[in-house]
Amino acid sequence: MEHQTDVLVVGSGLAGTRLALELAGKCSVTILAKGPRDEGSTRYAQGGIAAAWLEEDSWEAHVRDTLIAGAGLCHREVVDRTAREARERVEELIALGVEFDQRSNHPGEYDLHREGGHSARRILHAKDITGAELMRALLAAVDQHPDIAVLENRMVINLATAGWRAKLANDLPPDPDRVLGAYILNSETGRVEAYSAKIVVLCTGGVGKVYIYTSNPDVSTGDGLAMAYRAGARITNMEFIQFHPTCLYHPEAGNFLISEALRGEGGVLRLANGEAFMHRYDERRELAPRDIVARAIDSELKRTGQECVFLDMTHFAREQIVHKFPNINARCMELGIDMAVSPIPVVPAAHYSCGGVATDLVGESSVRNLFVVGETAHTGLHGANRLASNSLLEAISFAHHSARVILERLPDMGQAKLIPPWDSGTSSEPDEQVVITQVWEEIRRFMWNYVGIVRTTRRLQRARKRLDLVEEEIRNYYWDFQLTGDLVELRNIATVAGIIVDSAMRRRESRGLHYTLDYPSQDQRFLTDTIVQRKW
Ligand code: FAD
Ligand code: SIN
């Protein structure tokens, strides 16, 4: 079945919904979501969104903090604009109905949290469920625009580009780097559908599921990154995977984050014997940037042989805990952990991808008319390490600037070009699902062990060797058997894992989130973005 729309937005998280709302009423917009429309990292965001708000704070200080965390690789123009406009972008969210917490005895004044690497209190939040509040308000706003179609259970498999179409027709590509639409697996019918669009915007979120331990939800399999790579887009800085220092350590916890905001309120990291250790690693202690805290925990776990460390919030009165962190408190209580009296067991886990599809200042990738917004993009804001609560800010900032340019461009674009229907060839029903689960588990485990918080050249080489084997296996399976969502995701995590490993191998230094024992210091020769691009 052939569908057409002006703008195809892949992803219904903060980036996708915010962008669609900027376009609403001015063109036709279709948002696709792989599962339920509110499922994605946005929904689970806890800490909040950063913007200099208080008189004693300034956007220049926000810039400084972002640059320090970014360890030399932030793009200055992007950081300046994002921090300078942060308040305006957040006020737009408030106008759309997002309710951030206000101080109890000071109505009208926002309750600002502080998080690692920030020199001031500047995190707007809604209790510890900021993401759920964002999704509530934005989806309600989307529902008021009947011209925005939101289609759930539609998994984009691949992008269609002019070059690819010309290749099919055995023709020379007239304009190889132009997107024409996408192929979508409709999980309600099991069929693959073609969507033609003048503009495609990837808002598919992160890549956390490439690792066995992650704070990310199941949809974060790096689909957008993998399909942009296959379409020939430039990918940058994928070695910089952020490991959040504190995810709940409990056999029944699943992927549950213990927000950095707890450390912002004085939470202390301790070993099982009660000893605090962060003072041995950084003078900012628990409020050092995440890479430092995660590495410190990793090093303590390796040194002591213990399975987790503990975040101690027992200095906080129970009423304060319940008032400020009701969601975290409830989850801990369900698992028998009363954080008012006993420290919370925590471990680091893969959390955020600082690299992504390279975009320009308005979110366009190196493939024309393919925009990328949110965690899938590499805009240059985060450099080698993202400052807490700058991700949600990046999503709304680039949604705004991308929408402006898309609206300028659309009137001159004519009709969307039809893309050929999907050809499923002679593929048959998959024979053994166990192949998918086996390879899925294998990739995620060796990525954790070999391409995790602390790397070495040998570990990276080992990971590369294993990837070569599993990539071959996946390739055969992919073309022989009918497509399923699991198979699409497996191919994508393998592609993303390969990009992470290749990027990490090229950076022969330690900087920000990339730490290797073979090159433990920064090296000025690597003060540049790592670029990976598929060769045709
Ligand atoms: P997401 O919100 O992840 O949305 C991705 C969308 O893409 C989903 O709708 C999904 O269905 C869709 N999708 C994916 N693949 C496909 C496909 N193949 N076809 C169709 N649709 C697809 N950042 C902060 O700044 N502050 C915080 O407090 C904070 N807390 C966090 C807490 C947790 C637990 C996590 C995991 C992250 C947190 N982050 C935080 C990071 C931040 O939440 C994310 O970077 C941000 O929400 C990403 O938004 P997004 O719109 O890019 O993607
Ligand atoms: C957190 O609440 O600790 C997550 C914040 C973030 O990832 O920016």
Side-chain angles (χ1 to χ4, degrees):
M1 204 195 302
E2 173 72 44
H3 304 264
Q4 277 199 42
T5 182
D6 288 335
V7 183
L8 185 65
V9 178
V10 188
S12 55
L14 180 63
T17 50
R18 187 66 198 92
L19 178 92
L21 286 166
E22 293 256 357
L23 301 173
K26 297 163 199 135
C27 58
S28 61
V29 183
T30 303
I31 305 182
L32 303 172
K34 180 151 84 164
R37 62 188 199 157
D38 64 347
E39 184 61 0
S41 288
T42 302
R43 171 183 165 185
Y44 300 97
Q46 295 183 350
I49 186 162
W53 209 270
L54 297 174
E55 241 172 59
E56 60 268 29
D57 193 11
S58 67
W59 67 265
E60 289 91 341
H62 190 179
V63 167
R64 267 195 306 278
D65 296 342
T66 303
L67 295 177
I68 292 170
L73 290 186
C74 295
H75 297 192
R76 184 62 198 253
E77 210 177 336
V78 172
V79 179
D80 281 351
R81 186 185 72 187
T82 309
R84 195 177 56 240
E85 296 177 354
R87 185 169 178 147
E88 197 180 337
R89 298 284 86 81
V90 171
E91 280 168 344
E92 287 162 0
L93 287 180
I94 294 168
L96 282 166
V98 177
E99 292 183 13
F100 291 111
D101 285 1
Q102 302 192 0
R103 293 177 64 196
S104 354
N105 300 324
H106 302 80
E109 278 182 35
Y110 286 103
D111 179 44
L112 301 166
H113 276 169
R114 184 162 172 204
E115 291 179 341
H118 287 279
S119 56
R121 285 188 170 265
R122 61 168 79 101
I123 317 295
L124 289 105
H125 63 99
K127 303 279 180 222
D128 53 356
I129 48 164
T130 308
E133 168 59 12
L134 287 168
M135 288 313 299
R136 179 203 63 75
L138 290 183
L139 287 172
V142 163
D143 286 341
Q144 286 172 15
H145 290 279
D147 55 330
I148 306 178
V150 185
L151 305 177
E152 298 182 317
N153 304 317
R154 303 295 199 282
M155 176 185 281
V156 178
I157 304 166
N158 250 346
L159 297 169
T161 58
W164 176 80
R165 197 170 78 149
K167 217 168 138 195
L168 278 185
N170 244 348
D171 218 352
L172 274 183
D175 178 1
D177 296 323
R178 189 158 49 91
V179 76
L180 302 176
Y183 292 103
I184 284 109
L185 179 63
N186 180 339
S187 42
E188 285 160 14
T189 62
R191 295 236 170 82
V192 179
E193 298 167 358
Y195 273 75
S196 303
K198 296 179 189 170
I199 304 273
V200 176
V201 193
L202 294 174
C203 304
T204 49
V207 307
K209 294 297 279 187
V210 169
Y211 289 89
I212 198 115
Y213 303 114
T214 177
S215 65
N216 288 192
D218 288 349
V219 293
S220 304
T221 47
D223 298 359
L225 188 100
M227 66 183 98
Y229 174 76
R230 287 194 287 271
R234 206 174 301 136
I235 311 292
T236 25
N237 286 359
M238 282 303 296
E239 65 274 36
F240 297 119
I241 300 293
Q242 183 169 71
F243 293 83
H244 196 291
T246 57
C247 286
L248 187 56
Y249 180 76
H250 189 282
E252 286 157 38
N255 315 328
F256 191 81
L257 191 77
I258 301 295
S259 175
E260 186 149 334
L262 273 72
R263 279 177 282 130
E265 296 298 332
V268 177
L269 285 164
R270 299 187 189 280
L271 298 173
N273 64 6
E275 185 197 338
F277 56 86
M278 273 314 298
H279 61 280
R280 288 196 261 111
Y281 292 89
D282 193 286
E283 61 186 17
R284 290 164 290 184
R285 299 182 182 213
E286 276 74 7
L287 284 179
R290 281 184 193 167
D291 57 324
I292 294 171
V293 183
R295 264 199 307 280
I297 296 176
D298 186 66
S299 150
E300 288 300 317
L301 294 180
K302 291 201 168 105
R303 189 179 68 77
T304 59
Q306 287 166 5
E307 289 183 332
C308 64
V309 295
F310 295 84
L311 183 64
D312 187 353
M313 288 299 291
T314 55
H315 65 285
F316 229 42
R318 183 180 299 282
E319 308 81 70
Q320 280 176 299
I321 287 176
V322 173
H323 174 67
K324 277 196 178 277
F325 307 114
N327 178 45
I328 295 173
N329 180 55
R331 185 71 184 123
C332 285
M333 281 299 206
E334 271 168 25
L335 299 170
I337 305 160
D338 181 351
M339 59 195 262
V341 292
S342 45
I344 311 164
V346 289
V347 282
H351 181 62
Y352 183 82
S353 163
C354 286
V357 184
T359 70
D360 62 14
L361 276 172
V362 292
E364 190 167 16
S365 73
S366 59
V367 174
R368 184 142 175 90
N369 300 330
L370 178 65
F371 287 71
V372 187
V373 181
E375 189 169 338
T376 314
H378 171 256
T379 65
L381 177 66
H382 309 306
N385 186 13
R386 173 177 70 95
L387 203 56
S389 293
N390 265 357
S391 167
L392 297 173
L393 176 62
E394 181 188 46
I396 55 172
S397 174
F398 275 80
H400 174 80
H401 289 286
S402 296
R404 185 172 48 77
V405 169
I406 290 170
L407 289 173
E408 276 165 23
R409 191 174 296 174
L410 278 174
D412 299 327
M413 289 186 74
Q415 281 296 313
K417 299 251 176 327
L418 284 187
I419 58 172
W422 179 258
D423 178 10
S424 53
T426 53
S427 56
S428 55
E429 289 278 326
D431 58 349
E432 288 189 305
Q433 193 65 21
V434 72
V435 177
I436 295 180
T437 34
Q438 160 67 29
V439 180
W440 171 263
E441 175 84 13
E442 199 177 329
I443 296 175
R444 300 181 68 217
R445 197 164 283 285
F446 71 64
M447 286 302 288
W448 180 261
N449 288 330
Y450 296 158
V451 199
I453 298 172
V454 176
R455 302 162 179 177
T456 67
T457 306
R458 247 176 97 204
R459 288 179 196 164
L460 294 176
Q461 286 164 344
R462 285 201 175 114
R464 184 68 259 177
K465 263 197 193 144
R466 280 171 170 70
L467 269 170
D468 289 343
L469 290 175
V470 297
E471 274 172 352
E472 175 68 19
E473 215 165 296
I474 295 168
R475 226 183 340 267
N476 295 338
Y477 204 88
Y478 191 83
W479 294 115
D480 289 349
F481 297 109
Q482 270 164 21
L483 271 190
T484 62
D486 288 348
L487 185 51
V488 171
E489 289 187 339
L490 176 67
R491 182 165 82 135
N492 289 336
I493 67 160
T495 303
V496 173
I499 296 171
I500 297 173
V501 171
D502 293 347
S503 307
M505 279 176 143
R506 290 193 201 176
R507 188 167 288 285
R508 291 190 295 277
E509 64 159 353
S510 290
R511 181 184 298 276
L513 298 163
H514 173 68
Y515 185 79
T516 164
L517 294 175
D518 293 305
Y519 305 98
S521 318
Q522 278 189 14
D523 181 339
Q524 288 304 97
R525 287 174 301 172
F526 290 94
L527 193 57
T528 174
D529 291 334
T530 308
I531 300 172
V532 175
Q533 195 164 18
R534 181 180 175 176
K535 307 237 173 0
W536 287 94

